[in-house]
Amino acid sequence: MSTHDRFRLFAAALTMPAALLADAQCRLSGLVTDTDGRPIDAAAVTVENAADSSVVWLGITAADGRFEAVAQGRVRVYVSCIGFAPHVSEPFVAERDTVLPPVRLAIAGQRLDDVTVVGERQTQEVEVARGKMTWRPHGSALAYGTSALEMLKRLPGVSVDGNSRISLGGETGVEVTIDGKRSYVQGEELAQLLRSIPSSSIEAVEVMRTPSAAHDAEGSGGVINIVTGKHRRDGAYVSLNNGLSCWENLRQNTELAFSYSGRRLSIGGNYNHAFGHYAMDYGMRRSQGGKDYYSPTSDTDKRKTMAGNVDLDFRINDIHSLSARVEVNTLTGPGRTETVTEVRNASDNRLESTLTASNDYYMQRANRYGGNLHWEASPGEGMNYAADINYARFDGGSGNLQPNKSVAPDGTVLSDETYHSVNSRDIHIIAAAYDQSHHLLGGELKSGLKWSWIDARNRYRFGNAVSGGMVADAGRSSDFDYVERIGAAYLLYARRLSDAWDIEVGLRGEITLSDAKLHTLDGAGDEGLSRHYFDLFPTASINYNKGGHSLSLNYSNRLDRPAYQDLNPFEYLLDELSYWQGNPFLMPQKTHKAALTYQYGKFAATASYSFTRDVKTQIADTLSTDKVVMTPRNIGKRQMAALSLFYASKVANWWEVSVNLTGSYARNDIAFDEARHFSRDGFAGIVSVQNSLRLPWRIMMEVNGSYTTRRLGEANDTFEPTGYVDVSLSRSFADKRWTVGLAVTDIFWTSRWDNTSGFDGFKLYNWGKGESRQIKLNVTCRLGIEKRKSRSIDFNEIDRL
């Protein structure tokens, strides 16, 4: 804190008694955070008379970064905190109770011989506030060398199954956004995108079970927002991480982040890659048509990821700012699966035949190219305008050779075919949005418009392999084109009712126009489907906060549109007896959800209830007497009630722990067709624990674990228990410029995706696990160079922190 800052606080203390005698005061409430949105505790807040700078009110922020002041007349707000650049608002008239716009304090420059060592906090952190959970990995050694998808698997209350479906507290239909923006892809495309985002670029992960109307209506299970850090520092900043990990395969990862920030212009970027193979073992055992099928599969993914982005931020003046981003994510390389299916007579277990099949993915690609342009203006207190336009292109595809050979027990070849398939996906996405906010009737009114356009072109060719290519099967080779346009508008109003109560109500309207066209090469399967529908999505929140106790009641209405990949009716073969196929007649599923959250200190409890109709999920069904097909369907309705408890504690000066417990009850009322109805219910639980320990010799140790009990799926399936335990050690050197981390993930190799399902005449058991057990070594170097000489900071104050 500068000498000038100390003098202002001293003068404020002397004049406080006079300020307290003023009458007819208005309440001014606000929030102080850092540039990443983290609340700042004990920041000094001064309300000054705009005419003579006399102090009207003085106080400090609470643990959640909030403050409440009293004032009257034309004033301005001055906020300061050790280690941050001070903030001074524009003068405004305090004539009624007002919620001030959030104040974001920038980190002050720290200069030492023109070199700044950028220190990173060495412990992970979980916070729960107003119904939203925020996880910040900070310098977690467990986060080094992993992707965003792997990080989500370790988020409290979040699970990712073998098909890369993400669930939150047992609920699927989770929308994943990046820096608040939709990716507009789901399923495997989303998983591939998340695999290309390095953990080193992630500043925080936000989990919202009941988002407001300002968010897109997509995501009935909630929204997970990945916040990428731009590592902005005054001057130049560079961070480099290199690592190795191994178990069955050796992998190498590199992440590079850089930035330069001047007075008005900031530029930064990231580059990362991950090279190496990843192994998975999975399979199925099923009983069907009087026979038993046992099909274990060995899968080796040989794809490599490379990604990079460049960010540009330009502050035009004190009101207007402009930012731009260009990014490229690539996932390319081969892969191979090996499946051996034993077919036995169910009555006497006699072996009838053995089917050997492999998938040789000689070509695979999933590339994403994108750009973003963002403008923002703040012409006055409580006034904010923002416009945003995004473009992205997904270029994906694969080529697969699949030999299938069936042999009798005596060695007689029953069939021997080699199939060849080639598919391509070309997706263009454009989204534009405009948002604004104003003070209105003592509260804040937000409104906005959004329009998005998705054009997906899919080509699939399937046939028998011949020398140099294939003989296409015209009935099973097709083109599928899908266009989706979504227009949206919302209103959101928030107002403080008293010193303890505030409310927020919102309404969002979205119109969806979609057109799908299927064309088979023989023309016999041509069909088209157009859907146009409009929906309203109300949201509401009422909050109480006083004496450290807070209570939030939230309601939202949300939906999940079918992913275009699920609408695509192409067939994908694991072998001749197992298929995956899309469903062009899928409908959106819609969910009503309410949640009540209580918080006191580091304890939080959330009770929630959701009701979903037109549940869409993937089911396993029979195809003729000896084949099984996995396909997405709308199957009925689902209800879920859940209670989640969170507690964080500093057990000792060297030990911090956080615990998340979630218990849920689910009920499914579903039907595959008129003859197959199911009514099932069940309880489930999730336990997640995160420990951070400061050991001797400045070693940081993390021990994290999670366990999920047996639980009911969305259809007639039941998932078996799963979990993991991770351990890491890390130490920083040379004033935190260097950090070395050693970690072992999923020590007991218990992270699995086993499940059972079935109906009369059909029983299915699926199992699987990946190479989640890893030994990882990472070395990180961080450097910063402060070029601007005009800013300095008192190092005696810094040393006190």
Side-chain angles (χ1 to χ4, degrees), residues 589-723:
Q589 70 175 22
K590 298 182 180 180
T591 299
H592 296 272
K593 192 169 188 178
L596 177 66
T597 299
Y598 167 77
Q599 183 181 359
Y600 179 75
K602 294 293 185 178
F603 171 79
T606 299
S608 63
Y609 169 79
S610 64
F611 173 79
T612 303
R613 57 187 175 89
D614 296 325
V615 170
K616 62 180 181 68
T617 189
Q618 180 174 294
I619 67 170
D621 205 351
T622 55
L623 185 66
S624 73
T625 59
D626 61 346
K627 296 181 177 63
V628 63
V629 59
M630 279 70 74
T631 184
R633 295 267 300 276
N634 294 105
I635 57 174
K637 60 184 180 181
R638 177 179 172 90
Q639 300 178 73
M640 176 172 281
L643 176 64
S644 180
L645 305 177
F646 171 81
Y647 180 69
S649 175
K650 189 172 184 179
V651 180
N653 289 333
W654 51 272
W655 182 12
E656 297 175 8
V657 61
S658 64
V659 181
N660 184 274
L661 306 175
T662 300
S664 62
Y665 169 79
R667 180 178 179 84
N668 297 344
D669 293 297
I670 60 175
F672 288 2
D673 50 39
E674 293 184 359
R676 294 178 292 176
H677 293 259
F678 307 93
S679 181
R680 306 185 65 207
D681 62 350
F683 291 91
I686 304 174
V687 181
S688 300
V689 181
Q690 296 183 334
N691 294 274
S692 298
L693 303 96
R694 294 177 176 85
L695 303 181
W697 302 292
R698 292 183 295 173
I699 295 175
M700 292 297 305
M701 181 178 185
E702 296 172 50
V703 181
N704 296 347
S706 179
Y707 175 75
T708 303
T709 67
R710 200 166 188 258
R711 61 207 183 278
L712 183 67
E714 293 173 306
N716 62 334
D717 48 349
T718 300
F719 288 84
E720 299 301 319
T722 185

Side-chain angles (χ1 to χ4, degrees), residues 206-245:
E206 301 171 335
V207 178
M208 295 165 280
R209 295 178 182 271
T210 52
S212 71
H215 293 82
D216 290 282
E218 197 83 19
S220 61
V223 172
I224 297 177
N225 181 41
I226 298 174
V227 181
T228 60
K230 295 185 178 181
H231 302 289
R232 291 292 181 256
R233 305 289 192 277
D234 289 332
Y237 169 78
V238 177
S239 173
L240 176 65
N241 174 73
N242 275 286
L244 294 172
S245 61

Side-chain angles (χ1 to χ4, degrees), residues 519-551:
H519 168 68
T520 57
L521 292 190
D522 62 4
D526 289 6
E527 56 184 310
L529 181 65
S530 297
R531 288 200 180 108
H532 301 165
Y533 52 91
F534 175 78
D535 292 289
L536 290 173
F537 303 95
T539 65
S541 172
I542 182 167
N543 305 284
Y544 171 86
N545 192 338
K546 191 170 185 179
H549 298 270
S550 68
L551 194 67

Side-chain angles (χ1 to χ4, degrees), residues 351-430:
L351 180 65
E352 295 186 350
S353 63
T354 301
L355 174 65
T356 302
S358 64
N359 285 278
D360 179 11
Y361 291 98
Y362 60 87
M363 180 275 292
Q364 295 181 107
R365 71 178 187 277
N367 304 322
R368 181 180 187 269
Y369 316 95
N372 166 256
L373 187 63
H374 180 82
W375 166 81
E376 192 164 347
S378 300
E381 287 292 330
M383 301 172 63
N384 186 264
Y385 305 91
D388 198 90
I389 185 166
N390 295 269
Y391 169 77
R393 181 195 175 196
F394 286 82
D395 174 25
S398 65
N400 180 26
L401 284 170
Q402 187 187 73
N404 281 253
K405 185 176 182 179
S406 180
V407 180
D410 61 3
T412 303
V413 177
L414 302 177
S415 64
D416 190 358
E417 297 284 353
T418 299
Y419 303 110
H420 190 181
S421 62
V422 178
N423 72 75
S424 64
R425 303 180 299 278
D426 190 13
I427 311 169
H428 295 265
I429 300 169
I430 298 176

Side-chain angles (χ1 to χ4, degrees), residues 278-331:
Y278 185 85
M280 291 181 287
D281 293 298
Y282 51 86
M284 68 174 72
R285 184 190 296 273
R286 58 189 169 95
S287 298
Q288 177 183 354
K291 301 182 186 299
D292 288 336
Y293 301 83
Y294 175 67
S295 305
T297 297
S298 175
D299 189 335
T300 303
D301 187 349
K302 302 179 182 180
R303 291 175 296 181
K304 58 185 178 182
T305 65
M306 291 184 290
N309 64 71
V310 176
D311 296 290
L312 183 69
D313 296 312
F314 180 64
R315 189 169 183 81
I316 302 172
N317 51 41
D318 292 339
I319 295 177
H320 299 273
S321 64
L322 194 66
S323 64
R325 180 183 180 97
V326 177
E327 59 186 349
V328 177
N329 303 73
T330 68
L331 184 66

